[in-house]
Amino acid sequence: MSDPMRPPVSPHQHRTTPLRPGPARPRASLRTAVVWEVLRDALDRRVKATGRESLDVLDTGGGSGNFAVPLAALGHRVTVVDPSPNALFALERRAAEAGVADRVRGVQGDAHGLFDVVERGGYDAVLCHGVLEYVDDPAEGLRNAVAALRAEGVLSLLAAGLGGAVLARALAGHFKEARQALGDPDGRWGEGDPMPRRFTAEQLTALVEGAGLTVGAVHGVRVFADLVPGVLVDTEPGTLDALLELEVAAAELPAFHSVATQLHVLGETPAAAEV
């Protein structure tokens, strides 16, 4: 019998597979497991479609290489663009320690000046993680990321979710701040909010479609992980694995997108979506 909460799967919506080893340590993997699975599956499909074992990946705002280094370990060539020299230095060291320095390149830059430092239309996949929250014009920043894709390519977009912030403030007893975030155009709960902007799933999918891509999948990230006490996850046997499985199971259900701390959208160029 079908699950009434589970939406029908479109030809271009891809379910996650059972959890495989990802780029993070066990505790931190709660924050990245869903994104890693969706991204890895998308790259596997591009490998099969192109017939090339190694893809060219651009990681905008990739920092010290949380995704770039593990992707390079899979054999892909990764270019990281980040405005922070310190982050790029850490990236270089991390890549060297992992033995993938020959497949990771770091360049200083940002989303708005992207083509001052990288090639337009030169990448099979572009990661845009934690970028749109900080740029002055999210639509322009995303259009630049999309313009870096080849005719057949995929975009991995990760951004802060509005609902997760509202829920977190409310559960902490900060009800006025929760209400402020709910009504604020940028989803901020006050002057002390360190996040410049948050999004709903509808806003992110509209941005992706406005940039000319087909939305392949939408997932909620950190639906439960930020709400579960760390001591419970760290001390109760089997709790981490169970929580990871719960995160993956809930991630693709629209009912949970509205309370996720982050939202992940997989976008595909029209040519790639037809494959």
Side-chain angles (χ1 to χ4, degrees):
M1 184 176 178
S2 63
D3 185 342
M5 287 188 64
R6 188 175 297 278
V9 180
S10 72
H12 304 305
Q13 185 175 15
H14 311 290
R15 295 186 186 278
T16 52
T17 56
L19 287 175
R20 294 171 289 183
R25 294 183 295 276
R27 184 67 176 90
S29 65
L30 287 170
R31 299 176 179 271
T32 59
V34 170
V35 179
W36 176 250
E37 286 303 303
V38 175
L39 176 60
R40 184 166 178 171
D41 285 347
L43 294 183
D44 285 348
R45 292 193 301 275
R46 295 310 312 146
V47 165
K48 293 177 182 177
T50 62
R52 293 184 280 113
E53 293 185 359
S54 179
L55 302 177
D56 294 305
V57 180
L58 175 64
D59 188 354
T60 62
S64 60
N66 287 341
F67 279 87
V69 171
L71 288 175
L74 294 177
H76 302 304
R77 297 177 294 272
V78 187
T79 299
V80 175
V81 176
D82 197 278
S84 169
N86 291 336
L88 294 174
F89 177 78
L91 168 71
E92 182 179 357
R93 183 177 60 222
R94 188 173 189 172
E97 291 173 351
V100 296
D102 59 328
R103 293 194 293 276
V104 176
R105 180 173 72 101
V107 292
Q108 189 172 1
D110 58 33
H112 289 306
L114 190 60
F115 300 114
D116 294 335
V117 294
V118 300
E119 177 186 1
R120 186 184 294 269
Y123 298 90
D124 300 291
V126 172
L127 278 60
C128 187
H129 294 175
V131 173
L132 296 193
E133 299 95 319
Y134 297 96
V135 297
D136 293 333
D137 186 340
E140 179 189 352
L142 189 60
R143 284 194 298 269
N144 282 350
V146 171
L149 287 171
R150 289 175 174 151
E152 296 183 4
V154 295
L155 170 78
S156 175
L157 173 63
L158 181 67
L162 170 62
V166 173
L167 182 61
R169 301 315 290 173
L171 291 178
H174 303 300
F175 305 121
K176 290 184 178 180
E177 292 180 351
R179 180 64 184 86
Q180 170 68 21
L182 194 59
D184 186 79
D186 292 324
R188 304 184 75 238
W189 47 256
E191 292 297 325
D193 192 339
M195 185 65 66
R197 188 182 293 109
R198 295 182 179 89
F199 301 88
T200 64
E202 292 75 16
Q203 288 171 331
L204 288 180
T205 55
L207 285 170
V208 169
E209 291 172 342
L213 297 187
T214 297
V215 174
V218 180
H219 289 82
V221 179
R222 293 159 57 188
V223 175
F224 307 104
D226 291 349
L227 304 178
V228 176
V231 64
L232 175 63
V233 177
D234 294 334
T235 59
E236 292 292 329
T239 301
L240 176 62
D241 290 340
L243 184 53
L244 280 171
E245 293 294 339
L246 178 61
E247 286 280 351
V248 172
E252 65 180 322
L253 300 177
F256 291 99
H257 295 169
S258 60
V259 294
T261 300
Q262 293 178 307
L263 295 163
H264 183 255
V265 179
L266 183 73
E268 302 171 303
T269 61
E274 294 171 359
V275 176

